[in-house]
Amino acid sequence: MRWRILALLFLARIGLGLQFQTMASVGDDLSVAFGFDWAGIGVLIGLFMAPGLVLALPAGYWGRFVSDRIMVAAGLGVLALGGGLCALAAGPWSLGLGRVLGGVGFLFTTLYFTKMVADWFDGREIATAMSILVMSWPLGIAMGQLGHAWLAAQWGWRVPFLAASSYTLLAGLAVLWLYRPPAGLPAAQGGAAPSLSPMEWRLILCAAGAWAAFNAAYVVYLSFGPQMLSHHGQSDLAAAGVISLASWLMIFSGAACGQLVDRFGRRSLVLTSCMVAAIAAVLLLGAPAGGPGGGLAASLLFGLVGMAPAGVIMALAGQALRPETRAFGMGVFFTIYYALMMVTPPVAGLLLDKTGAPEAPLWLAAGLFALVVPLGFGFELNKTARVRPAPGQA
């Protein structure tokens, strides 16, 4: 049953990546239509994450009163509504409002998708399950990188927003109809949420920082990597195809990496090795001597190795928290995630505008990937301290 539930959540969560990618895919068209520079496009990308900064903690608390199924279905509906508003936008303000509204739906779905999988796989192959769930995000993005560009070329920039909204609306209906919680899980109930222990705070802060830095770097790669390849002479569609290759590959490498860690452990070694590969890939993409061939090699390395530990990092959140603190703890986790995700795209866009160097945003991505390693080690050190017997205890 749990694997069927995971399949349902995976298919529904594809809509998150599909909707998020719309803005980056039609950025050039919006620049022509509304006169945006790349810092402005970065702001619109980042606005998708803005609601999470103020709503993640309340969203975690509201799980005490409303079932996970309702939270996710409603969130997907709001996400579809935000995309529809962007499709009808007549100017920057309505575009921004649509992105913020979509971000509200994205927040609720992201938080409770993660909690649902943690509930179903608590103590059993959680790294594998989280890896599979997390891969729905790059799959949606990869579908959007190719599909949105084609739709925009054929029918204009509004159609990708409508297509993504249609998918997320159908996904919400599917979750509402088909999802069931695991047996024995306490039903949503009012009252104050249990407090996080000091150790849980340390663990969730390390996990959240690692997840936020990892994803922020990935978004910079997706949003500004095509500009680097266009600078080397590739067409916009060809550049989008090369960059999307990494997202397709990580769907398989991520699941394999989660299975590897579940079977053999060595999480810190795997995480460090993969982050070194990710840094090498983004630097290769930005190397002037790399050219189009370097872009293909960079995407292969990035997808096969650099992005493989996505689910392993996400699984840290489930391992940091007790079941009774999981909803609130996920709110803390995603508050930190959204804070970094909101500011990173505008900063990357500003670097590109100020320097005129298409590789400048990729330097930022490399620095963020490097930050994942000490945060991962910090999690391991605190987790080891939690399970270490007290002095004199057997």
Side-chain angles (χ1 to χ4, degrees), residues 209-291:
W211 183 241
F214 181 82
N215 277 275
Y218 176 50
V219 167
V220 171
Y221 176 88
L222 293 175
S223 301
F224 296 93
Q227 304 304 312
M228 189 70 246
L229 296 183
S230 295
H231 180 71
H232 287 315
Q234 292 200 18
S235 69
D236 290 345
L237 191 57
V242 170
I243 295 300
S244 73
L245 177 62
S247 297
W248 290 106
L249 290 172
M250 67 182 286
I251 296 166
F252 305 101
S253 66
C257 187
Q259 186 69 15
L260 179 69
V261 170
D262 272 335
R263 284 176 177 265
F264 304 107
R266 304 282 181 156
R267 180 166 52 201
S268 294
L269 176 61
V270 170
L271 190 58
T272 301
S273 301
C274 291
M275 290 305 95
V276 170
I279 293 168
V282 296
L283 294 180
L284 176 61
L285 186 70

Side-chain angles (χ1 to χ4, degrees), residues 12-339:
R13 196 173 179 271
I14 287 173
L16 277 63
L18 199 62
Q19 191 70 267
F20 175 78
Q21 181 59 27
T22 50
M23 191 60 62
S25 293
V26 302
D28 287 334
D29 298 300
L30 293 177
S31 296
V32 173
F34 301 115
F36 291 120
D37 57 15
W38 276 103
I41 297 296
V43 169
L44 287 171
I45 294 171
L47 278 177
F48 202 71
M49 303 296 172
L53 189 59
V54 295
L55 290 179
L57 282 175
Y61 179 74
W62 291 336
R64 302 279 298 169
F65 302 89
V66 184
S67 71
D68 299 343
R69 178 175 63 93
I70 297 297
M71 294 289 251
V72 167
L76 288 167
V78 174
L79 183 59
L81 184 61
L85 184 58
C86 286
L88 300 174
W93 284 103
S94 46
L95 269 174
L97 180 60
R99 290 296 280 181
V100 170
L101 187 61
V104 172
F106 180 78
L107 158 68
F108 280 90
T109 52
T110 300
L111 194 158
Y112 283 94
F113 274 134
T114 307
K115 180 184 179 297
M116 286 169 168
V117 172
D119 288 341
W120 270 99
F121 288 85
D122 189 15
R124 299 180 295 173
E125 300 174 298
I126 189 169
T128 300
M130 284 295 185
S131 295
I132 293 171
L133 178 75
V134 167
M135 290 309 108
S136 60
W137 167 258
L139 176 57
I141 286 175
M143 290 167 61
Q145 284 173 318
L146 294 178
H148 293 338
W150 182 80
L151 289 171
Q154 297 296 317
W155 292 291
W157 62 266
R158 299 179 189 274
V159 175
F161 288 104
L162 292 174
S165 292
S166 298
Y167 187 101
T168 51
L169 183 60
L170 291 173
L173 294 173
V175 171
L176 189 62
W177 182 34
L178 297 173
Y179 180 78
R180 297 292 181 272
L185 187 71
Q189 54 185 327
S195 299
L196 300 182
S197 70
M199 180 60 71
E200 284 178 314
W201 274 109
R202 291 194 293 271
L203 289 171
I204 204 64
L205 289 175
C206 287
W211 183 241
F214 181 82
N215 277 275
Y218 176 50
V219 167
V220 171
Y221 176 88
L222 293 175
S223 301
F224 296 93
Q227 304 304 312
M228 189 70 246
L229 296 183
S230 295
H231 180 71
H232 287 315
Q234 292 200 18
S235 69
D236 290 345
L237 191 57
V242 170
I243 295 300
S244 73
L245 177 62
S247 297
W248 290 106
L249 290 172
M250 67 182 286
I251 296 166
F252 305 101
S253 66
C257 187
Q259 186 69 15
L260 179 69
V261 170
D262 272 335
R263 284 176 177 265
F264 304 107
R266 304 282 181 156
R267 180 166 52 201
S268 294
L269 176 61
V270 170
L271 190 58
T272 301
S273 301
C274 291
M275 290 305 95
V276 170
I279 293 168
V282 296
L283 294 180
L284 176 61
L285 186 70
L296 180 59
S299 281
L300 288 170
L301 179 61
F302 194 71
L304 288 173
V305 185
M307 294 303 296
V312 174
I313 300 172
M314 173 59 87
L316 299 179
Q319 295 170 351
L321 302 165
R322 293 165 289 157
E324 59 268 28
T325 64
R326 192 165 286 146
F328 178 75
M330 288 296 180
V332 175
F333 179 88
F334 282 107
T335 298
I336 296 168
Y337 165 79
Y338 282 113

